[in-house]
């Protein structure tokens, strides 16, 4: 084969140099293959590509030959065999795995491509480190330094408390701690915490809150927090006494603060004592509710019989000293004040007193020139009797009127009474008309009298 090619080449040379009928060329040179134009590569050697010589394809950095054959031979016809291959962009292998990091999800890595890494949850990028790697021209990845470090949480600090788990120089993601408070303090929040991926403690670190000391104990009684170990702010403790004893003081106390810092109980504990008040006796009076025992705190109300009035407080309470507070009231007889009648007087001067008891009677007479306006049941021959009522008022008192104009007066009085009751406008008008009429009659009478003088 090679022989045949050589022969053909020689034949070609013969034909070229000694063309029949043409003056032969002075010189013949050896045939060469053309230098091929290869993008991103070239043949080596690049000169003296004469018949039978071989050349090798060399691609530029970052490029690789297409196909397996890279060596070509120059044939007699000035052709290369096999055909001159091409160069294509090379690729990097999969980028390396980086501790605690993931990369963006591309699948093809040609030379020049970049890959970015991201730290996984709980890790952060180290400062001044680039998370980007590049596919180099020698098909390796640029150096990737250590990228990610564990997230750190601040050291947990709790006042008046401590960490039960051994203390660490630093606390990183996933670290768990447990807390405890000093005696006299109570833990508020979670006893355990974990350093979270965002660098915070979850749940947040607790705090230690002051507590009250145990509540005071009392003789013959007990409190509701028996057996409890901690008495936090706001806790209420209720006391009770053994049966038959009364609880003196506040039934419950609570853990509070006087100064905003230290905690104390809101007050002293109550006492358990025997308290029995005597049956309350109020002469001429009654008590409600009806009861037969009068222990501490029992309250009773008093009212008086008819004709008697209560002096003192209507309600009283049995207190710790086994006495009634305020002191029991008394029932005093109701008194009527001395009755006053205009233009009248008491018939007997012996009757002249400031106050009259219920059922007391007084008798009136009118002054000279006056007479009783109303001849009702109360008035006898020239005298009028009134009785002091149990409510401190008198039975109706008489009215003494000037003799002569009794009719007019009566009418006027009648109108006054009617006005007092609030009559309808129309009726009042009529009444006023009547009053006017009577006033005119009175005026006429006066004028007639003047004429008669
Ligand atoms: C080409 O080959 C000839 C003969 O072998 C040699 O004399 C010449 O120097 C070569 N040319 C180059 C550029 O290498
Ligand atoms: C690839 O190239 C880089 C920079 O040009 C060099 O640091 C590295 O050592 C090379 N890698 C290999 C395997 O040759
Ligand atoms: C709280 O109690 C402590 C100990 O009894 C005392 O030293 C401190 O002064 C108190 N704090 C206040 C604000 O009173
Ligand atoms: C007043 O008289 C009435 C009727 O006689 C009697 O029932 C009542 O008890 C008397 N009241 C007093 C306070 O004496």
């Amino acid at each position: 084969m090679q022989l045949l090619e050589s022969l053909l080449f020689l034949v070609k040379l013969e034909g070229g140099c000694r063309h029949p009928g043409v003056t032969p060329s002075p010189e013949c040179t050896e045939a060469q293959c053309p230098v091929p134009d290869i993008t991103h590569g070239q043949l080596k050697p690049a000169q003296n590509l004469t018949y039978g010589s071989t050349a090798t394809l060399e691609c530029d950095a970052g490029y690789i030959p297409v196909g397996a054959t890279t060596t070509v031979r120059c044939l007699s016809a000035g052709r290369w065999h096999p055909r001159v291959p091409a160069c294509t962009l090379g690729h990097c292998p999969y980028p390396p795995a980086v501790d605690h990091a993931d990369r963006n999800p591309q699948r093809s890595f040609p030379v020049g491509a970049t890959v970015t890494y991201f730290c996984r949850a709980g890790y952060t990028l180290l400062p001044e480190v680039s998370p980007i790697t590049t596919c180099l021209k020698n098909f390796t990845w640029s150096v990737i330094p250590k990228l990610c470090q564990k997230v750190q949480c601040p050291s947990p600090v709790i006042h008046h408390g401590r960490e039960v788990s051994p203390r660490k120089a630093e606390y990183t993601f996933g670290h768990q701690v447990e807390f405890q408070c000093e005696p006299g303090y109570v833990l508020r929040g979670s006893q355990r915490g974990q350093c979270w991926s965002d660098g915070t403690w979850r749940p947040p670190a607790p705090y230690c809150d002051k507590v009250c000391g145990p509540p005071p104990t009392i003789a013959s009684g007990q409190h509701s927090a028996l057996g409890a170990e901690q008495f936090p702010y706001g806790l209420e403790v209720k006391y009770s006494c053994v049966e038959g004893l009364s609880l003196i003081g506040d039934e419950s106390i609570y853990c509070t603060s006087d100064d905003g810092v230290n905690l104390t109980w809101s007050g002293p504990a109550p006492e358990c004592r025997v308290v029995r008040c005597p049956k309350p006796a109020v002469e001429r009076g009654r008590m409600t509710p009806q009861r037969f025992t009068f222990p501490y705190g029992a309250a009773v109300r008093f009212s008086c019989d008819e004709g008697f009035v209560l002096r003192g407080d209507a309600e009283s309470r049995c207190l710790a000293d086994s006495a009634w507070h305020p002191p029991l009231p008394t029932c005093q007889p109701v008194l009527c004040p001395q009755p006053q009648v205009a233009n009248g007087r008491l018939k007997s001067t012996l009757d002249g007193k400031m106050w009259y008891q219920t059922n007391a009677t007084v008798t009136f007479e009118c002054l000279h020139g006056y007479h009783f306006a109303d001849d009702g049941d109360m008035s006898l021959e020239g005298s009028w009797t009134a009785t002091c009522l149990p409510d401190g008022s008198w039975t109706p008192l008489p009215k003494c009127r000037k003799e002569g104009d009794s009719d007019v007066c009566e009418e006027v009085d009648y109108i006054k009474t009617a006005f007092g009751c609030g009559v309808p406008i129309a009726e009042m008008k009529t009444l006023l008309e009547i009053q006017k009429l009577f006033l005119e009659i009175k005026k006429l009478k006066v004028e007639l009298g003047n004429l008669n003088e």
Side-chain angles (χ1 to χ4, degrees), residues 93-104 109 115-118 120 131 133 141-148:
Y94 264 65
V98 171
D99 286 345
H100 316 300
D102 293 315
R103 58 172 179 83
N104 45 8
F109 310 101
V115 164
T116 307
Y117 288 92
F118 304 98
R120 293 193 187 125
T133 183
W141 292 98
S142 62
V143 175
I144 308 162
K146 185 176 172 351
L147 285 184
C148 303

Side-chain angles (χ1 to χ4, degrees), residues 288-332:
T288 48
Q290 269 295 328
R291 56 188 305 161
F292 305 100
T293 60
F294 304 95
Y296 176 75
V300 281
R301 286 190 65 82
F302 300 96
S303 56
C304 291
D305 295 344
E306 196 182 71
F308 290 83
V309 68
L310 197 87
R311 292 267 168 78
D313 288 283
E315 191 173 310
S316 195
R317 197 174 279 272
C318 176
L319 293 189
D321 58 356
S322 294
W324 293 99
H325 295 273
L328 299 180
T330 57
C331 286
Q332 299 291 332

